[in-house]
């Protein structure tokens, strides 16, 4: 993912082994290492967030986005395009089909829009294996996920037997990925987006990250329906998804069904949290509500939104 970024000292593919005992301690290091690969984009996005929140007249089309969105994705894409232009010395259009184009339009904005707001919150929500998630929660309307209690959430899944791409998942980040209409109608609402997804980033046991499953929030579907709808997309792109392995139709079908199963397993902890957010507890079992999203504060010569100084741990009930 380096082609679309400024020069960096730290590679985005890092190895920080995770266990259920050290995940709260190590996860911030993993996030900050990943974000450092995209310098100066993360700080530019923070500056854009602060500037628009402080002066709403700067908001695109004069409309602020909802509180649950840290910053719309078009800001990440536009700023990243400027960084690429600065590096190359001249503007070059982005080929969305190329590896660099996929990074510029999908991977890097997704990583920043999910990990960057988490770095300001530092929330870790533990999900022990004693909880049996109710699969009926998959019938939750995806629109309910627009109202996340924080910009970005991290749920520790280290005690659960969960795989993604045949690799052990230790946790997942969840955040809203919202792309505004380029020319919205005058009566458009602040949460009326051209693309409005709930995306995930999965964390593996070696500390590496990857884009996980996502669901659309603005198509009037349930989470189960949104996940099931990806089956046809996977079938249509089975060559890219499954690589060049010599798999027959039945084997491909089984692999896709496995992907859908794992997608449900990744979203169930979030759905359980949304349905039981008033039951979150500290390590002593006392109810503990999530902290609200932070606001910019005056620091030094101006406004700043500092990184979280501590990791706040919560436990699902």
């Amino acid at each position: 993912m380096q082609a679309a970024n400024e020069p960096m000292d730290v590679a985005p593919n890092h190895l920080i082994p995770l266990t259920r005992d050290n995940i709260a301690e190590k996860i911030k290091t993993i996030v900050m290492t990943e974000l450092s690969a995209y310098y100066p984009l993360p700080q530019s996005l923070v500056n854009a967030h602060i500037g628009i929140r402080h002066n709403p007249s700067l908001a695109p089309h004069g409309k602020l986005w909802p509180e649950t969105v840290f910053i719309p994705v078009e800001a990440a894409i536009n700023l990243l395009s400027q960084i690429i232009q600065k590096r190359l010395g001249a503007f070059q259009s982005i080929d969305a089909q190329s590896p660099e184009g996929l990074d510029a339009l999908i991977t890097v904005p997704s990583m920043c829009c999910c990990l960057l707001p988490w770095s300001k919150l530092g929330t870790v929500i533990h999900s022990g294996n004693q909880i049996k998630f109710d699969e009926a929660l998959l019938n939750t309307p995806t629109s309910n996920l627009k109202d996340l209690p924080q910009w970005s959430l991290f749920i520790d899944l280290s005690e659960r037997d969960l795989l993604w791409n045949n690799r052990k998942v230790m946790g997942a980040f969840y955040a809203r990925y919202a792309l505004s209409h380029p020319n919205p109608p005058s009566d458009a609402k602040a949460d009326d987006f051209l693309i409005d997804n709930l995306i995930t980033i999965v964390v593996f046991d070696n500390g590496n990250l990857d884009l996980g499953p996502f669901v659309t929030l603005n198509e009037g579907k349930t989470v189960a329906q949104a996940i099931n709808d990806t089956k046809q997309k996977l079938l249509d792109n089975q060559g890219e998804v499954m690589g060049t392995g010599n798999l027959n139709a039945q084997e491909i079908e089984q692999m896709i069904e496995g992907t859908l199963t794992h997608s449900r397993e990744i979203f169930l902890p979030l759905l359980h949290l949304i349905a039981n957010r008033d039951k979150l507890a500290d390590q002593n079992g006392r109810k503990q509500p999530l902290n609200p999203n932070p606001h910019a504060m005056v620091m030094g010569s101006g406004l700043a939104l500092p990184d979280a100084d501590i990791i706040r741990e919560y436990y699902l009930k």
Side-chain angles (χ1 to χ4, degrees):
M1 291 188 290
Q2 300 178 22
N5 303 312
E6 288 285 294
M8 57 192 179
D9 297 322
V10 184
N13 290 321
H14 38 73
L15 294 175
I16 302 178
L18 290 177
T19 68
R20 66 182 183 181
D21 295 324
N22 73 5
I23 192 166
E25 172 192 352
K26 300 293 186 182
I27 195 63
K28 184 174 182 180
T29 300
I30 290 171
V31 168
M32 302 311 289
T33 301
E34 187 75 19
L35 288 175
S36 71
Y38 310 129
Y39 176 83
L41 180 60
Q43 188 55 53
S44 298
L45 290 171
V46 172
N47 293 342
H49 173 91
I50 293 172
I52 292 175
R53 284 293 176 186
H54 183 65
N55 184 359
S57 65
L58 299 175
H61 313 296
K63 295 183 183 295
L64 279 178
W65 55 89
E67 177 62 23
T68 54
V69 175
F70 179 75
I71 200 160
V73 178
E74 67 266 18
I77 294 173
N78 290 340
L79 288 168
L80 183 57
S81 297
Q82 294 177 36
I83 293 170
I84 296 172
Q85 182 179 352
K86 180 180 178 182
R87 287 187 63 209
L88 298 179
F91 178 78
Q92 295 187 9
S93 61
I94 298 173
D95 177 7
Q97 303 303 316
S98 68
E100 294 83 2
L102 289 173
D103 273 344
L105 297 175
I106 298 176
T107 306
V108 174
S110 297
M111 288 288 184
C112 285
C113 287
C114 203
L115 302 180
L116 179 59
W118 183 88
S119 70
K120 310 301 178 183
L121 290 154
T123 298
V124 171
I125 301 170
H126 296 285
S127 164
N129 58 14
Q130 79 282 359
I131 302 175
K132 181 173 176 58
F133 297 128
D134 184 358
E135 294 196 3
L137 289 170
L138 292 166
N139 295 321
T140 302
T142 57
S143 58
N144 287 15
L145 301 182
K146 292 183 179 183
D147 187 28
L148 290 184
Q150 292 182 334
W151 289 317
S152 179
L153 297 166
F154 175 74
I155 300 181
D156 165 20
L157 303 170
S158 59
E159 294 186 45
R160 313 194 74 84
D161 187 17
L162 203 160
L163 298 176
W164 184 254
N165 291 337
N166 295 317
R167 299 164 70 187
K168 166 67 175 171
V169 172
M170 298 295 285
F173 294 90
Y174 306 82
R176 198 169 166 186
Y177 179 104
L179 180 69
S180 301
H181 287 277
N183 297 297
S186 58
D187 59 348
K189 299 178 181 178
D191 64 349
D192 182 18
F193 292 102
L194 177 65
I195 296 176
D196 197 358
N197 295 335
L198 200 291
I199 64 170
T200 65
I201 293 175
V202 294
V203 185
F204 299 112
D205 53 4
N206 64 357
N208 280 348
L209 309 178
D210 196 5
L211 297 182
F214 71 90
V215 294
T216 56
L217 304 182
N218 57 358
E219 295 182 352
K221 299 175 181 178
T222 67
V223 174
Q225 290 170 333
I227 291 174
N228 290 339
D229 283 353
T230 64
K231 180 175 182 177
Q232 190 57 50
K233 295 176 184 177
L234 292 173
L235 286 170
D236 292 342
N237 298 283
Q238 58 186 265
E240 298 176 19
V241 175
M242 304 306 170
T244 57
N246 297 318
L247 301 176
N248 60 40
Q250 182 178 4
E251 290 169 330
I252 290 175
E253 177 87 11
Q254 290 174 344
M255 292 186 71
I256 289 176
E257 288 297 336
T259 297
L260 299 184
T261 296
H262 298 323
S263 296
R264 298 182 192 103
E265 292 172 342
I266 288 173
F267 271 99
L268 270 172
L270 177 67
L271 294 169
H272 179 89
L273 168 62
I274 297 299
N276 297 276
R277 68 174 75 183
D278 60 332
K279 298 179 183 177
L280 276 178
D282 62 18
Q283 61 182 350
N284 297 315
R286 296 173 298 204
K287 285 187 178 182
Q288 183 69 37
L290 289 171
N291 273 15
N293 292 325
H295 295 285
M297 59 182 69
V298 177
M299 297 182 66
S301 59
L303 291 169
L305 189 61
D307 295 330
D309 53 353
I310 61 172
I311 297 296
R312 294 180 171 85
E313 298 182 62
Y314 302 82
Y315 295 78
L316 283 179
K317 293 291 186 180

